[in-house]
Amino acid sequence: MNTLVIFGASGDLAKKKLFAALYNGFVSRRLKELRVIAVGRREWSDGELRRIAFESCGKPSAQWQEFEKTLSYHKMEFSDAKDYRGLAKKLEGKGGVVYFLATPPEFFEVIAKNAAKIRNGGFKRIMVEKPFGESLQTAEKLNAAMQKHFAEEVYRIDHFLGKGMIRNILALRFSNEVFKRVWDKESIESVFINHSETVGAGSRPTYYDAAGAIKDMLQSHLLQMVALVAMKEPLSVDSDDLQKEKVRVISSIKPPAAKDVVVGQYDGYEKEIGKSSSTETFIAAKLSVALPEWKGVPFFVRTGKMLSDNFAEIVVRFKQAKLFAGAPANELVIRIQPDERIRFRFNLVDYADLQLEPFAMEFCESCEFGISTPLAYEKLIADCLQGHRTLFASWPEIEASWRLADKVVAIAKKSVLHKYVPGSGPKEAQKLFQ
Ligand code: BG6
């Protein structure tokens, strides 16, 4: 039997996403034969851990009692080498182990160093949660440390890559000849990538205030989405070929002009975090992918906290038809959350008055099958246990993303920080998108 060791199990991520993913995986059998050791610094018992996991899973079904037996708690100090002996006793000779780092980043290195010394009886891998560094420089240092202890067995998480519709972007683009033929500057007018949240900095004020929207969202999730939309067809679906094409896209993106960046902060943010701050809680930018096939096609990205809605989607807008002047442009909408759907807008003539009218073809995964796709972390943990790397970010992707994000941060620092009322968003961003 394999083991998942979660460092930082008493933190926010475990409560919000990991326990639910593990339980879901147990019920769906995608994560079967797995025991979970939750490691934390708090004085918890197995019972306490199971109670917290139960609460964070909503309404678990009859299988809960069986599932909870797979969960146990181990208390230790992450920085104390002696404390790893107790953990080693539980793991030695016992099959494959995945270490999941959900701790603050300052513990990543010391945990990797000590965990690497434990001799279990199978594969040994490490999953590293973002933020993977705070800048290019710190990310390089972190990467070197991780690779020193785990060599090629480092799995860098970008949980968006585990989401159902994001996993489907490649299938949509490359298994449907009809899209393959129209996927470049000849046919596409613009691309919009939008992630909007109604929550604020929430339970992680210290982390969020040091990061801000650019480091928290743009550097990772948004650039990954740009890469998946803009990458060329890879030679194969192997992770190396795929990641190579994504790097080609990310490293081609030039820093946007200052006029093409809008940053904002919601009213009440400073009160919420308890200090004055110039951290952006919103970013919108017009990016250009400087590759011949995308010349002149703007990629608009937008993300923020305390906006009017909770959703994430990608909209690919095609060029207008020439023969029918004024015909609405075709649009392909890839809705990532909360519902998972694909909608294609096209035109037909209404015979009554011979006017063109837009109609839609739609596939709504969540409406037809319910939420049947695995949760993002469920999929990522399952993939890591099997040694599949496709849905993880390679170091060259992260390196290229930080190279750009560092520059966007510098531009944002010199820009006006637009205040916005919670539930809205800076109106300057709407102008940019127009
Ligand atoms: C995380 C960010 O990576 O992604 C959070 O740190 C953000 O600030 C979250 O809220 C959004 O992810 P999801 O899956 O909830 O849309």
Side-chain angles (χ1 to χ4, degrees), residues 2 8 43 58 63 68 89 133 166 186 226 251 326:
N2 297 325
E43 287 290 349
Q63 293 186 47
E68 70 167 12
K89 270 202 198 121
I166 294 195
E186 302 305 331
V226 173
S251 49

Side-chain angles (χ1 to χ4, degrees), residues 100-116:
F100 190 120
L101 305 193
T103 63
E106 62 263 30
F107 294 112
F108 287 177
E109 192 172 346
V110 70
I111 295 174
K113 179 175 162 202
N114 286 290

Side-chain angles (χ1 to χ4, degrees), residues 10-64:
S10 50
D12 206 45
L13 181 74
K15 268 188 231 138
K16 280 197 187 141
K17 312 230 171 180
L18 297 184
F19 294 133
L22 292 170
Y23 177 61
N24 221 48
F26 182 83
V27 174
S28 67
R29 313 294 291 154
R30 291 185 196 106
L31 290 175
K32 51 184 185 214
E33 309 282 306
L34 180 69
R35 73 177 172 142
V36 179
I37 303 181
V39 178
R41 290 173 290 172
R42 297 193 193 177
E43 287 290 349
W44 282 0
S45 60
D46 288 353
E48 184 71 354
L49 169 77
R50 290 169 184 174
R51 186 185 63 72
I52 286 163
F54 181 84
E55 282 165 8
S56 64
C57 284
K59 285 191 192 137
S61 69
Q63 293 186 47
W64 177 264

